[in-house]
Amino acid sequence: MKRYLLLLSTVPFMISCNSQTKKNTTKTDTTINDTTTNALNLPVPDTGASKTKFSKVIGWPADKTPVAPAGFTVTRFAGNIKSPRNIYVAPNGDILVVLSNSERNTKEKIANALSGKDKAEVSGSSANTVLLFRDTNKDGKFDLQTTFLSGLDQPYGVLIIGNSFYVANTDGLYVYPYKTGDTKITAKGKKIVELPAGGYNNHWTRNLITNADHSKIYITVGSGSNAGENGMEHEVRRANILEVNPDGTGEKIYAAGLRNPVGVAWAPVTNALWTAVNERDGLGDDLVPDYITSVKPGGFYGWPYSYYGQNEDPRLKGQHPELVKSALVPDLAVGSHTASLGLAFYTAKNFPEKYQNGAFIGQHGSWNRSVLAGYKVAFVPFKNGKPAGKLEDFLTGFIADEAKGEVYGRPVGVAVANDGALLVADDVSGVVWRVAAK
């Protein structure tokens, strides 16, 4: 525990070995949209006001798709696959889709059946597989599908650097031999970084990104609890973005106090690293806002002692005021309990000008709220590397019946394909959606 507290206390003053962040060469759902800029008028936290409403996933009818703004088409890029959570576009244009889901023990299965939570997620054993889709004639439809890699352990982030293929399993970073054009990996992988496995709710995901010269890899690791209730000795190297060398050595905490950072992307213009963070539960319908933010090397973002800057969490009142004082304010709130997980900047040219360099956010959807929130892909325009307008709906229609809590699907990972289309992973419905400009 002393080691962890020491790490936290020194995080805001760390000097990153990568101090100059480098560039990586209609219809609206009836949900509350409480997104604002970082000048927030937050309600008073209430630990007795927590509500629970799990959605019930009913799946998509064959003739129905999500709804995009006028000027776009939405089609099924892939379907009938178990829990597509993350999407990675390989340097050669191959689309890699990571299949994984939460795995529940017997006690959790019983509790989830009683609460209805099991109707909101993919159940059973995780597929633990990466699928490859290749569109050889560039018509927006794949003509080759292969099982690229299997036998994994709740994978999420994948990454290609030269002749190496990296996978972030829940328990560690693995590397495999790879060469451009491979459609299957059969060689055994090597674990090069040990990571704390599992986590509160769905905090088992570990995402990956590299910088422009591929000298560093960044690994997201969510917290193992909601607000440190299991003891901070169990949160060592968690609620962090870690930085390592491509061989797994030289680990540093790049940023801390990020409850569950999942989406990561390099912002155009500024070349800053950005992340989408899923914030804490139990303080009321409108606390705490999920957010997207640029990530300052050595920055501390509050968890678990404070939220959205220096707003103290009443459950840890008076603990580590020096950390609370150092907590950075995120760049943009994107709604409380929206489960904002996916993040991608639009750097292609196919979409209209307003979308150029803007950010798409996959909002998986709430459960710790009295009404549904999220269940959409949101968009925020950027100018000069900063948010330049209000968050707006982009891909909606996921909610089938608000009153009944019925939803067709839940979007998670988002990615921009080499042809300029936006790909969206809908994990509970087993679909990857393709959104293209007409």
Side-chain angles (χ1 to χ4, degrees):
M1 183 175 183
K2 289 181 179 178
R3 177 188 171 207
Y4 180 68
L5 294 178
L6 178 62
L7 280 172
L8 277 181
S9 65
T10 57
V11 158
F13 311 105
M14 287 193 315
I15 299 175
S16 169
C17 66
N18 186 39
S19 58
Q20 289 189 342
T21 310
K22 303 172 186 177
K23 182 178 179 182
N24 202 16
T25 325
T26 91
K27 176 181 178 180
T28 303
D29 293 330
T30 56
T31 58
I32 292 177
N33 186 346
D34 61 358
T35 57
T36 66
T37 64
N38 60 6
L40 296 181
N41 182 20
L42 297 175
V44 176
D46 186 348
T47 56
S50 181
K51 305 293 184 183
T52 298
K53 182 173 182 176
F54 294 111
S55 59
K56 178 183 179 181
V57 179
I58 61 175
W60 291 92
D63 60 346
K64 197 169 186 64
T65 71
V67 180
F72 293 91
T73 60
V74 183
T75 56
R76 294 175 187 242
F77 178 77
N80 299 315
I81 50 181
K82 185 176 183 179
S83 194
R85 276 188 85 82
N86 197 23
I87 302 170
Y88 175 77
V89 181
N92 72 339
D94 286 344
I95 306 299
L96 300 179
V97 178
V98 183
L99 313 184
S100 54
N101 59 268
S102 298
E103 294 187 321
R104 306 299 187 185
N105 59 36
T106 301
K107 182 179 179 180
E108 290 171 327
K109 288 177 182 177
I110 294 172
N112 290 352
L114 292 173
S115 68
K117 187 174 184 178
D118 60 339
K119 300 293 193 300
E121 64 181 25
V122 178
S123 60
S125 299
S126 178
N128 294 335
T129 295
V130 179
L131 299 179
L132 178 146
F133 297 89
R134 181 175 293 169
D135 174 13
T136 56
N137 61 3
K138 313 302 181 186
D139 65 351
K141 300 176 182 179
F142 69 87
D143 38 54
L144 175 67
Q145 176 183 340
T146 66
T147 298
F148 185 71
L149 183 59
S150 59
L152 302 170
D153 183 8
Q154 291 186 289
Y156 190 87
V158 295
L159 178 66
I160 294 172
I161 298 179
N163 293 322
S164 296
F165 181 74
Y166 295 87
V167 177
N169 283 336
T170 192
D171 69 341
L173 177 62
Y174 291 72
V175 63
Y176 298 79
Y178 166 85
K179 62 179 183 295
T180 301
D182 280 353
T183 59
K184 186 178 181 65
I185 288 179
T186 57
K188 186 177 180 180
K190 177 184 178 183
K191 182 187 278 192
I192 58 173
V193 178
E194 187 80 29
L195 295 172
Y200 169 84
N201 200 20
N202 287 320
H203 298 185
W204 47 263
T205 56
R206 315 283 176 251
N207 206 357
L208 298 175
I209 197 168
T210 186
N211 55 1
D213 64 6
H214 307 312
S215 61
K216 301 294 177 183
I217 294 174
Y218 303 89
I219 311 168
T220 70
V221 184
S223 67
S225 62
N226 179 41
E229 63 272 13
N230 299 327
M232 296 306 291
E233 66 271 20
H234 299 295
E235 300 291 349
V236 177
R237 298 168 65 233
R238 304 201 67 145
N240 289 165
I241 295 178
L242 305 176
E243 176 192 89
V244 299
N245 297 322
D247 63 359
T249 63
E251 181 182 310
K252 294 186 178 185
I253 296 177
Y254 187 76
L258 299 156
R259 178 178 175 267
N260 188 29
V262 180
V264 280
W266 297 104
V269 183
T270 62
N271 306 331
L273 181 63
W274 279 66
T275 187
V277 177
N278 181 206
E279 255 291 358
R280 71 203 77 185
D281 304 317
L283 296 179
D285 265 12
D286 299 317
L287 286 178
V288 170
D290 293 343
Y291 59 85
I292 62 170
T293 191
S294 55
V295 183
K296 306 298 189 293
F300 177 68
Y301 289 83
W303 188 90
Y305 306 106
S306 67
Y307 57 87
Y308 219 83
Q310 299 172 17
N311 298 286
E312 193 173 35
D313 191 315
R315 295 165 293 195
L316 295 98
K317 187 174 179 60
Q319 297 187 35
H320 295 283
E322 76 285 2
L323 290 177
V324 173
K325 186 177 180 179
S326 72
L328 300 173
V329 179
D331 286 280
L332 185 72
V334 294
S336 298
H337 311 297
T338 57
S340 293
L341 304 176
L343 180 65
F345 286 98
Y346 193 78
T347 54
K349 301 299 181 184
N350 305 60
F351 284 13
E353 185 177 357
K354 69 170 286 185
Y355 296 101
Q356 304 301 313
N357 295 335
F360 288 102
I361 305 155
Q363 298 190 322
H364 200 221
S366 61
W367 66 269
N368 189 242
R369 198 173 192 176
S370 59
V371 295
L372 300 182
Y375 300 96
K376 66 182 73 170
V377 175
F379 172 77
V380 61
F382 269 56
K383 184 177 181 180
N384 298 323
K386 292 290 184 181
K390 292 183 178 180
L391 196 78
E392 59 188 66
D393 293 349
F394 179 75
L395 192 66
T396 62
F398 288 85
I399 296 176
D401 190 316
E402 165 75 19
K404 294 180 180 178
E406 293 180 344
V407 300
Y408 295 120
R410 302 181 69 185
V412 196
V414 290
V416 180
N418 284 2
D419 64 3
L422 181 73
L423 299 176
V424 179
D426 181 348
D427 65 335
V428 292
S429 291
V431 179
V432 175
W433 300 105
R434 180 178 184 269
V435 186
K438 290 182 180 178

